[in-house]
Amino acid sequence: MHGDPRKVVYPTDSYGQFCGQQGTPNANKAILFYFNILQCANPTVLINLQCPTTQLCVSKCPDRFATYIDMQYNYRRNKSYWDYYKQFCKPGFNNPDKVQFLQRCFPDFITRNGTLTVANKTNFKDGHGKVRSVVDLRDAANGITSLLDAKEVGVKIFEDYASSWFWILIGLVISMLVSLIFILLLRFTAGVLFWMVIFGVIVAVGYGIWHCYWEYSTLKGKPDSDITISDIGFQTDFRVYLQLSQTWLIFMISLAVIEAIIIIVLIFLRSRVRIAIALLKEGSKAIGCIMSTLFYPIITFLLLALCIAYWAVTAVFLASSGEAVYKVMSTLPDCKYTNLTCDPETFSQSNVTKLCPGSQCTFAFYGGESLYHRYIFVLQLCNLLVFLWLVNFTIALGQCTLAGAFASYYWALRKPEDIPPCPLASSFGRALRYHTGSLAFGALILSIVQFIRIILEYLDHKLKGAHNAFTRFLLCCLKCCFWCLEHFIKFMNRNAYIMISIYGKNFCASARDAFFLLMRNVMRVAVLDKVTDFLLFLGKLLISGSVGKSTVSSVTYRQTVIFGSYMIAHGFFNVYAMCVDTLFLCFLLDLEKNDGSATRPYYMASSLRAILNKKNKRPEEKKKRRKKKEQPNKRH
């Protein structure tokens, strides 16, 4: 209602008029020009990037390195010079004998052989008999060096993309195909990959133990190697510790303990590891039956783009709310009216111009003094909270949809014959129709925690220079606690959405059921979680590394392909991880609710039943057992 996005898109001159806005006198003048950019190095410069010099809208920046003094000199020799310079004068002024001197619109800095130049010059005359350095211009245009570097890098990157965009697209398509093939092949290679890597870790740790023992035995007989670590104290050069036999003894004992823990865990948890691998293989089969789930991240991406667009538009309208505010700007350091609010229409009649000669009433920013304007920051925070809520709801919708599709696969007794048609679309419809409130509630809880974390990060940034150790310690503890809380809520929400997709209960009931179900099977949860994370992380590195390594073009091209390949693999593997988690919860429910009888058969795959020594009884077997039980009764 009060916002105007033009205030963000278009620059504004000293009179509050937009540069380049259609329907205004500045329609063809889209560039902001500073009369004297050297004034921008004045300490009285406002935070809003307003310098104490007149600013005008022009159609193009000056392309000549000259001041008004030079223009006057050339004007007396050739009247045509005025035709060029008058476009940089205040509107309505047409007297070349009284125009204040001009400076550059914005200096075009170029580094030549390590020297900063403007128009091939390192010095220039300022029109008052002084020779100024280009460094003065650089200081006035604060941050111009970094902008120039960014511009050069940007041009280089753009050139790389323009010449290799086709090959980048091919590389991303290849990474998508490789990710798909990797997921489908996990049904055959999950066990082999896991045990190969575990065997490699055991061998590597064993070699480390041998190497530490060899170093220990070598140093044991040497002089000065028997000194303890406590005797030498803390040393900045860590190579000193490697000359002590005690260091290698500690390393050897530590590695031996790690090796023993790995072996013991594998011995006692081997059945759970086998279940985790079997679930990974079953997840690959499920995705093979419901291939459309792999492309659901595209829908999530589009919905997230809408959320970001809504947040950005709202933020722009809030940021651009208000009326034009004018401030007194003076080049005099002792002017007491500097930065005070003024009225440009009555400024010339005020005493400010007499007490502070050369001062101007210049546009500063858009704002106001009303209650609404004082609480714009609070409204921006509310907009941020809504943004987090929408994003988390979109993610929750995707997780619930995928969980419903994969649950329909698991609870099909005969796979794939009993899988319902269009399981993904049906699950999406159910999530929108029946579970919107539950998803929104879970997303709100997570959003509030994330919002508090952002506030804590903001406070930490503001207190960087604070010397209160207790405050910094308290803030650090709060950040750590809320980081843990956020990850725990994410974990619980994910499993609650799976339970919602299975039973259709509300969020609280589903979260409670999921929590106690997982607690009853905590060791299985830990093993499956680590095995899944490990294999998927290995797959991401394998895909992004192999596709990136195969490129032979520019650095920009290779980095883009590696990053794009990793993000594509991440999107595919997120679907796969959701599939495995859904199948796992269904598997736990299957074990608790069913017993393998004809009325309550197990829905798990035969490979899982074989690991657990579970069998489904056939109806014929049940009838035979009933007859055997009935025969003694008949004789009696």
Side-chain angles (χ1 to χ4, degrees):
M1 183 177 182
H2 298 282
D4 189 352
R6 296 181 304 169
K7 301 170 187 176
V8 179
V9 177
Y10 300 99
T12 311
D13 62 11
S14 297
Y15 309 100
Q17 299 173 344
F18 298 116
C19 299
Q21 178 62 33
Q22 297 297 325
T24 66
N26 295 329
N28 298 323
K29 301 177 180 179
I31 303 173
L32 190 65
F33 168 71
Y34 295 87
F35 262 38
N36 184 3
I37 199 171
L38 289 173
Q39 297 295 337
C40 296
N42 194 295
T44 61
V45 174
L46 295 178
I47 298 177
N48 295 278
L49 303 180
Q50 297 296 328
C51 301
T53 183
T54 302
Q55 298 163 42
L56 297 175
C57 299
V58 296
S59 58
K60 63 178 182 178
C61 294
D63 55 9
R64 305 178 188 180
F65 205 129
T67 63
Y68 171 67
I69 302 298
D70 299 327
M71 187 277 299
Q72 279 187 322
Y73 175 76
N74 292 318
Y75 172 72
R76 297 187 183 97
R77 299 172 58 189
N78 187 349
K79 302 297 183 183
S80 62
Y81 270 78
W82 174 242
D83 295 332
Y84 174 78
Y85 282 99
K86 68 181 180 181
Q87 61 182 320
F88 305 110
C89 297
K90 294 181 180 181
F93 192 86
N94 194 24
N95 189 344
D97 294 326
K98 295 184 179 180
V99 178
Q100 297 181 3
F101 76 94
L102 305 179
Q103 280 301 130
R104 300 284 299 188
C105 180
F106 207 67
D108 185 15
F109 291 98
I110 299 176
T111 303
R112 301 179 185 276
N113 299 324
T115 303
L116 193 67
T117 64
V118 174
N120 295 326
K121 295 184 178 180
T122 57
N123 298 295
F124 63 95
K125 296 181 179 180
D126 64 358
H128 295 280
K130 294 182 180 180
V131 177
R132 307 292 291 268
S133 171
V134 173
V135 177
D136 296 334
L137 286 177
R138 184 191 61 186
D139 295 337
N142 188 24
I144 186 63
T145 304
S146 59
L147 290 176
L148 177 63
D149 294 339
K151 177 183 176 181
E152 292 178 350
V153 173
V155 170
K156 182 66 171 62
I157 292 175
F158 179 79
E159 290 175 350
D160 289 342
Y161 281 134
S163 60
S164 59
W165 67 268
F166 181 73
W167 297 107
I168 291 176
L169 184 61
I170 292 178
L172 297 180
V173 172
I174 292 175
S175 64
M176 183 178 67
L177 296 176
V178 173
S179 301
L180 177 61
I181 294 173
F182 182 85
I183 291 176
L184 296 178
L185 288 179
L186 275 178
R187 72 175 72 178
F188 309 109
T189 60
V192 176
L193 280 176
F194 177 78
W195 290 115
M196 282 181 60
V197 174
I198 290 297
F199 179 75
V201 170
I202 293 175
V203 171
V205 176
Y207 171 78
I209 295 173
W210 175 83
H211 181 76
C212 293
Y213 174 77
W214 181 81
E215 291 283 354
Y216 171 75
S217 59
T218 303
L219 292 173
K220 193 173 182 180
K222 292 184 177 181
D224 298 331
S225 63
D226 294 334
I227 301 175
T228 62
I229 296 177
S230 59
D231 291 337
I232 65 173
F234 177 76
Q235 301 289 331
T236 56
D237 188 2
F238 291 99
R239 291 176 296 182
V240 175
Y241 298 105
L242 300 180
Q243 306 301 320
L244 305 178
S245 59
Q246 187 185 46
T247 302
W248 293 102
L249 179 63
I250 294 174
F251 285 165
M252 182 178 65
I253 295 174
S254 301
L255 290 176
V257 171
I258 294 174
E259 185 89 334
I261 291 175
I262 294 175
I263 295 174
I264 291 173
V265 167
L266 290 176
I267 292 174
F268 287 96
L269 299 180
R270 62 185 184 277
S271 61
R272 291 180 173 86
V273 172
R274 292 174 60 196
I275 292 174
I277 294 174
L279 284 171
L280 289 172
K281 295 179 179 179
E282 193 64 20
S284 180
K285 294 180 182 178
I287 289 180
C289 294
I290 315 175
M291 292 288 291
S292 57
T293 54
L294 288 174
F295 301 97
Y296 185 84
I298 298 176
I299 299 177
T300 301
F301 173 78
L302 296 176
L303 293 176
L304 288 177
L306 290 177
C307 296
I308 295 173
Y310 171 78
W311 167 79
V313 170
T314 306
V316 167
F317 270 88
L318 285 173
S320 60
S321 297
E323 302 295 332
V325 176
Y326 296 84
K327 297 282 187 178
V328 176
M329 295 187 183
S330 175
T331 57
L332 300 177
D334 56 348
C335 179
K336 62 180 181 180
Y337 296 100
T338 300
N339 293 342
L340 294 181
T341 306
C342 59
D343 186 354
E345 296 182 357
T346 61
F347 182 74
S348 59
Q349 288 81 31
S350 64
N351 294 328
V352 179
T353 55
K354 298 178 182 179
L355 298 176
C356 300
S359 61
Q360 303 179 41
C361 184
T362 306
F363 167 80
F365 55 87
Y366 285 95
E369 304 297 332
S370 66
L371 182 67
Y372 165 75
H373 293 104
R374 287 199 295 268
Y375 284 93
I376 283 182
F377 179 72
V378 177
L379 296 177
Q380 288 282 23
L381 292 179
C382 295
N383 182 39
L384 176 62
L385 178 60
V386 173
F387 168 70
L388 294 174
W389 194 2
L390 289 174
V391 168
N392 287 316
F393 175 79
T394 301
I395 296 174
L397 177 63
Q399 291 177 342
C400 188
T401 300
L402 292 172
F406 294 126
S408 64
Y409 167 86
Y410 184 92
W411 297 114
L413 189 59
R414 296 178 302 164
K415 303 175 180 64
E417 292 83 2
D418 293 341
I419 299 177
C422 303
L424 183 66
S426 301
S427 178
F428 184 76
R430 288 194 302 270
L432 286 179
R433 183 177 180 181
Y434 299 110
H435 310 315
T436 303
S438 297
L439 300 179
F441 183 69
L444 178 62
I445 296 175
L446 180 59
S447 301
I448 292 175
V449 175
Q450 292 175 337
F451 182 75
I452 295 175
R453 284 196 64 202
I454 293 175
I455 298 297
L456 291 175
E457 290 292 342
Y458 174 77
L459 293 177
D460 184 50
H461 177 73
K462 288 295 183 182
L463 296 175
K464 282 291 186 183
H467 300 288
N468 191 328
F470 177 75
T471 303
R472 297 298 302 275
F473 173 76
L474 180 62
L475 194 60
C476 182
C477 292
L478 288 174
K479 288 170 59 178
C480 180
C481 292
F482 277 95
W483 182 87
C484 296
L485 181 61
E486 179 186 355
H487 283 72
F488 175 75
I489 291 177
K490 282 183 177 179
F491 175 76
M492 288 308 306
N493 281 7
R494 183 184 181 94
N495 290 282
Y497 299 147
I498 295 174
M499 297 298 288
I500 288 173
S501 66
I502 296 174
Y503 288 114
K505 297 181 181 180
N506 61 51
F507 176 82
C508 294
S510 299
R512 182 189 65 244
D513 294 343
F515 177 78
F516 288 112
L517 179 64
L518 294 175
M519 289 300 100
R520 291 193 297 269
N521 301 271
V522 63
M523 291 305 300
R524 286 174 176 169
V525 173
V527 172
L528 177 71
D529 186 58
K530 297 308 176 185
V531 171
T532 304
D533 290 345
F534 173 73
L535 287 182
L536 295 186
F537 178 72
L538 186 67
K540 292 176 187 178
L541 292 182
L542 179 65
I543 292 170
S544 58
S546 59
V547 175
K549 188 68 177 178
S550 62
T551 60
V552 293
S553 188
S554 63
V555 176
T556 303
Y557 166 55
R558 176 170 293 182
Q559 291 177 350
T560 302
V561 171
I562 292 175
F563 177 76
S565 300
Y566 185 86
M567 294 306 298
I568 290 174
H570 181 72
F572 275 92
F573 291 168
N574 272 349
V575 175
Y576 181 72
M578 194 67 199
C579 175
V580 174
D581 289 345
T582 303
L583 297 180
F584 179 59
L585 259 66
C586 293
F587 166 73
L588 297 180
L589 291 171
D590 195 9
L591 284 177
E592 292 187 356
K593 302 295 182 182
N594 301 314
D595 57 5
S597 63
T599 56
R600 290 189 299 166
Y602 290 116
Y603 288 84
M604 67 185 72
S606 57
S607 58
L608 288 169
R609 293 201 303 268
I611 294 173
L612 299 172
N613 294 321
K614 303 287 186 180
K615 293 182 179 180
N616 280 335
K617 299 175 184 177
R618 297 181 180 180
E620 299 82 18
E621 295 178 357
K622 188 175 181 181
K623 291 180 180 179
K624 290 180 181 179
R625 291 187 179 182
R626 281 182 180 178
K627 289 181 179 179
K628 288 182 180 179
K629 289 181 180 180
E630 291 174 356
Q631 285 177 359
N633 294 333
K634 288 180 180 179
R635 290 196 188 103
H636 179 73

